[in-house]
Short mmCIF file of all heavy atoms in Angstrom, two decimals:
data_model
loop_
_atom_site.label_atom_id
_atom_site.label_comp_id
_atom_site.label_asym_id
_atom_site.label_seq_id
_atom_site.Cartn_x
_atom_site.Cartn_y
_atom_site.Cartn_z
N VAL Z 9 -0.01 9.57 -4.92
CA VAL Z 9 -0.49 10.65 -4.05
C VAL Z 9 -0.38 12.02 -4.71
O VAL Z 9 -1.30 12.84 -4.58
CB VAL Z 9 0.22 10.63 -2.67
CG1 VAL Z 9 1.69 11.00 -2.79
CG2 VAL Z 9 -0.50 11.57 -1.69
N PRO Z 23 -9.46 24.89 0.79
CA PRO Z 23 -8.68 24.23 1.83
C PRO Z 23 -9.02 22.75 1.90
O PRO Z 23 -9.93 22.28 1.21
CB PRO Z 23 -9.11 24.96 3.10
CG PRO Z 23 -10.48 25.46 2.80
CD PRO Z 23 -10.48 25.76 1.33
N ASP Z 24 -8.32 22.04 2.70
CA ASP Z 24 -8.60 20.63 2.97
C ASP Z 24 -8.22 19.69 1.83
O ASP Z 24 -8.69 18.55 1.79
CB ASP Z 24 -10.07 20.40 3.34
CG ASP Z 24 -10.54 21.27 4.49
OD1 ASP Z 24 -9.73 21.50 5.40
OD2 ASP Z 24 -11.69 21.71 4.46
N GLN Z 39 -11.31 -0.60 1.09
CA GLN Z 39 -11.97 -1.38 0.03
C GLN Z 39 -10.99 -2.24 -0.76
O GLN Z 39 -11.31 -2.74 -1.83
CB GLN Z 39 -12.71 -0.44 -0.91
CG GLN Z 39 -13.82 0.33 -0.22
CD GLN Z 39 -14.56 1.25 -1.15
OE1 GLN Z 39 -14.72 0.95 -2.33
NE2 GLN Z 39 -15.03 2.36 -0.64
N ILE Z 43 -11.68 -3.88 -4.72
CA ILE Z 43 -11.32 -3.05 -5.87
C ILE Z 43 -10.89 -3.94 -7.03
O ILE Z 43 -10.09 -4.85 -6.87
CB ILE Z 43 -10.17 -2.08 -5.52
CG1 ILE Z 43 -10.59 -1.12 -4.42
CG2 ILE Z 43 -9.73 -1.31 -6.76
CD1 ILE Z 43 -9.45 -0.27 -3.90
N GLU Z 48 -4.55 -2.22 -17.72
CA GLU Z 48 -3.84 -1.18 -18.47
C GLU Z 48 -3.68 0.11 -17.67
O GLU Z 48 -2.61 0.68 -17.58
CB GLU Z 48 -4.57 -0.87 -19.77
CG GLU Z 48 -3.88 0.21 -20.59
CD GLU Z 48 -4.68 0.63 -21.80
OE1 GLU Z 48 -5.47 -0.17 -22.31
OE2 GLU Z 48 -4.53 1.79 -22.21
N HIS Z 67 -18.17 20.08 -2.00
CA HIS Z 67 -18.86 21.23 -2.60
C HIS Z 67 -20.27 21.37 -2.07
O HIS Z 67 -20.73 22.49 -1.82
CB HIS Z 67 -18.89 21.11 -4.13
CG HIS Z 67 -17.64 21.55 -4.80
ND1 HIS Z 67 -17.20 22.85 -4.79
CD2 HIS Z 67 -16.70 20.85 -5.49
CE1 HIS Z 67 -16.06 22.94 -5.45
NE2 HIS Z 67 -15.73 21.74 -5.87
N ARG Z 73 -23.13 25.71 3.76
CA ARG Z 73 -22.56 26.73 4.64
C ARG Z 73 -22.76 28.12 4.05
O ARG Z 73 -23.08 29.07 4.77
CB ARG Z 73 -21.06 26.47 4.87
CG ARG Z 73 -20.81 25.36 5.87
CD ARG Z 73 -19.36 25.26 6.24
NE ARG Z 73 -18.48 24.91 5.14
CZ ARG Z 73 -18.27 23.68 4.69
NH1 ARG Z 73 -18.88 22.67 5.26
NH2 ARG Z 73 -17.46 23.45 3.70
N VAL Z 77 -24.62 31.31 5.76
CA VAL Z 77 -23.96 32.60 5.95
C VAL Z 77 -24.78 33.71 5.29
O VAL Z 77 -24.89 34.81 5.83
CB VAL Z 77 -22.52 32.58 5.40
CG1 VAL Z 77 -21.92 33.96 5.32
CG2 VAL Z 77 -21.65 31.66 6.26
N PRO Z 83 -21.15 41.01 7.84
CA PRO Z 83 -20.25 41.69 8.78
C PRO Z 83 -19.89 43.08 8.25
O PRO Z 83 -19.81 43.30 7.05
CB PRO Z 83 -19.02 40.79 8.84
CG PRO Z 83 -19.09 39.95 7.62
CD PRO Z 83 -20.52 39.86 7.22
N ALA Z 106 -9.98 30.84 -16.72
CA ALA Z 106 -10.03 29.42 -17.09
C ALA Z 106 -10.84 28.62 -16.09
O ALA Z 106 -11.65 27.77 -16.48
CB ALA Z 106 -8.61 28.87 -17.20
N GLU Z 115 -21.38 19.11 -15.52
CA GLU Z 115 -20.60 18.18 -14.69
C GLU Z 115 -19.94 17.11 -15.56
O GLU Z 115 -18.79 16.74 -15.34
CB GLU Z 115 -21.50 17.53 -13.64
CG GLU Z 115 -20.83 16.45 -12.82
CD GLU Z 115 -19.68 16.95 -11.95
OE1 GLU Z 115 -19.69 18.11 -11.53
OE2 GLU Z 115 -18.76 16.15 -11.69
N SER Z 143 -14.89 5.23 -26.88
CA SER Z 143 -15.25 6.08 -28.02
C SER Z 143 -16.14 7.24 -27.59
O SER Z 143 -16.02 8.35 -28.09
CB SER Z 143 -15.94 5.24 -29.11
OG SER Z 143 -17.10 4.63 -28.58
#
Side-chain angles (χ1 to χ4, degrees):
V9 68
D24 306 324
Q39 297 181 33
I43 298 172
E48 180 187 332
H67 278 294
R73 283 188 297 279
V77 168
E115 174 65 28
S143 59

